[in-house]
Amino acid sequence: MKKNRLVSLSAVVAVGVLALAGCGSDSGSGTTTSAASDTASASDTGSAAAGDCVQGSIKASGSSAQKNAMAEWINAYQTKCPGATINYQGNGSGAGIQDFINKQTSFAGSDSAIKEDDLTKANARCAPGKAINMPMVGGAIAMAYNLPGVDKLTLTADDIAGIFAGKITKWNDPAIAAANPGVTLPDATIAQFHRSDSSGTTDNFTKYLEASAPKVWTFGAGKEWKAPGGQGSKGSDGVTSSVKSTPNSIGYTELSFAQDAKLGMAMVDNGGGAVEASSDTAAKTIASGEVVGTGNDLALKLDYATKDAGSYPIVLLTYEITCEQGLPAEQLALTKSFLTYTASDAAQEMLPDLGYVPITGDLITKVRSSVDALS
């Protein structure tokens, strides 16, 4: 897609709410339209599974990592189907899950599957149905850096863990220098940025650290940042902006944001050789994921410790979380129609150009079955 178009769309989402309309299985481009009615018409309810246009309005929130993909999808969706409004706010995975639990949204975007106490609460919201996870967007978590004079950088898992644990504080530390022979590293203090909000990106990043550098990373994994030191920034866009404006800095952020900001991205060596962050290299890791959910719940287990050559290990999956059964009738039709579209070939084929990884193969077939089962 054209650069100026993506920047414009991202800016709209960053303000907070996208007032865009929805469609089913077609793709395209267009501009924001005004909101339509707040309820789906009765004649449209039964046709949502086929991806037909549905009148109505829904709200969704969550993952900031998928914000650029969601902006493009909603824009394409509304071009074909005026008469519906979808408001998506990229306020972070944790906030999105709480919005869904509190019945403020029709679905949540989360970069980690809903589980434990949150799942219990979401199931209560969906009663007599249950909440399910549907992977819709794959991505690489880039080690974005701003290091003047250094155009190429490789970091091992122990290096990354040491930096974010506050144990490696200088760019010319011997451990980093050993991974970068021939590179002149500055004698500068590392400015480290992490997420300040409850984040599925943080959950995936810390799962990577826990799996790949267990002797160095001793802070466990989760959506909340637990290690001392560093500076917190809100959202993928916040971390990206902080790194871009701060020399000698590094932060973890979804690949598309690092690409848009034209930041350096470190190659990661998990033991099988240095691998750059890209849609293709992340796809190899995601493709090896194992479905651990049951029925229409498609939560996956990823191998963050992979040493396969050409597999970028720091990855995430963004799930769309909604009620398998139990959404109010006025929300169900449009939610089902929109998610039918996002799982379509047309929508998934947009993702690589945006810096994301499409869901493919048997997994996307299962995703489509899960969406079709919404009732």
Side-chain angles (χ1 to χ4, degrees):
M1 68 177 292
K2 294 182 179 179
K3 175 67 176 178
N4 60 353
R5 182 174 167 218
L6 179 56
V7 171
S8 176
L9 287 170
S10 298
V12 173
V13 184
V15 171
V17 172
L18 282 172
L20 299 173
C23 181
S25 58
D26 294 316
S27 66
S29 61
T31 56
T32 301
T33 62
S34 60
S37 64
D38 290 334
T39 59
S41 65
S43 61
D44 288 325
T45 303
S47 62
D52 294 341
C53 295
V54 177
Q55 293 186 5
S57 176
I58 58 172
K59 294 180 180 180
S61 65
S63 167
S64 64
Q66 73 165 355
K67 193 162 63 173
N68 291 340
M70 192 60 69
E72 184 72 4
W73 280 343
I74 295 174
N75 188 59
Y77 184 69
Q78 65 91 29
T79 299
K80 297 291 185 179
C81 300
T85 301
I86 299 169
N87 300 323
Y88 183 83
Q89 183 176 11
N91 56 354
S93 298
I97 287 173
Q98 292 308 309
D99 287 344
F100 178 73
I101 288 170
N102 293 332
K103 300 184 179 182
Q104 296 174 359
T105 56
S106 299
F107 69 90
S110 176
D111 302 324
S112 55
I114 191 169
K115 56 189 176 182
E116 299 174 346
D117 289 346
D118 284 339
L119 178 57
T120 299
K121 294 174 183 177
N123 285 340
R125 177 255 158 101
C126 294
K130 65 178 182 179
I132 57 173
N133 299 280
M134 295 178 287
M136 203 68 72
V137 182
I141 301 174
M143 294 294 98
Y145 69 91
N146 178 350
L147 197 54
V150 178
D151 297 325
K152 186 176 181 180
L153 181 69
T154 296
L155 295 173
T156 67
D158 283 351
D159 292 340
I160 297 169
I163 290 170
F164 284 89
K167 298 175 182 178
I168 294 177
T169 60
K170 292 281 191 176
W171 277 112
N172 63 349
D173 184 280
I176 300 178
N180 294 273
V183 177
T184 301
L185 297 165
D187 182 18
T189 299
I190 298 171
Q192 174 255 104
F193 290 97
H194 55 264
R195 290 283 290 272
S196 60
D197 52 325
S198 181
S199 162
T201 305
T202 295
D203 189 29
N204 285 275
F205 179 56
T206 53
K207 283 177 180 175
Y208 162 75
L209 296 176
E210 188 176 50
S212 299
K215 293 182 180 179
V216 181
W217 184 258
T218 59
F219 303 99
K223 293 194 291 288
E224 313 294 336
W225 186 256
K226 300 175 183 177
Q231 302 173 61
S233 293
K234 185 176 181 179
S236 296
D237 45 359
V239 170
T240 303
S241 177
S242 294
V243 173
K244 189 171 180 64
S245 63
T246 308
N248 304 314
S249 63
I250 188 170
Y252 60 92
T253 188
E254 200 281 325
L255 175 65
S256 68
F257 289 86
Q259 288 179 332
D260 289 348
K262 294 182 169 55
L263 287 170
M265 291 178 282
M267 293 186 289
V268 175
D269 190 344
N270 246 25
V275 183
E276 68 176 352
S278 72
S279 295
D280 289 341
T281 58
K284 293 180 180 180
T285 302
I286 291 172
S288 66
E290 175 189 359
V291 176
V292 293
T294 58
N296 289 312
D297 179 63
L298 300 176
L300 268 74
K301 180 179 181 181
L302 300 171
D303 182 11
Y304 303 97
T306 180
K307 294 180 174 59
D308 290 347
S311 293
Y312 185 77
I314 318 177
V315 297
L316 58 78
L317 275 173
T318 301
Y319 299 88
E320 312 311 336
I321 299 166
T322 192
C323 299
E324 182 181 30
Q325 294 178 313
L327 274 184
E330 66 271 17
Q331 299 177 29
L332 173 62
L334 184 52
T335 299
K336 190 169 184 176
S337 179
F338 178 65
L339 295 180
T340 297
Y341 166 68
T342 63
S344 70
D345 287 341
Q348 290 293 312
E349 286 168 1
M350 294 180 185
L351 295 179
D353 287 344
L354 300 174
Y356 295 100
V357 177
I359 310 301
T360 60
D362 290 343
L363 183 57
I364 194 61
T365 300
K366 292 177 181 178
V367 171
R368 289 167 182 164
S369 294
S370 292
V371 174
D372 191 54
L374 300 181
S375 63

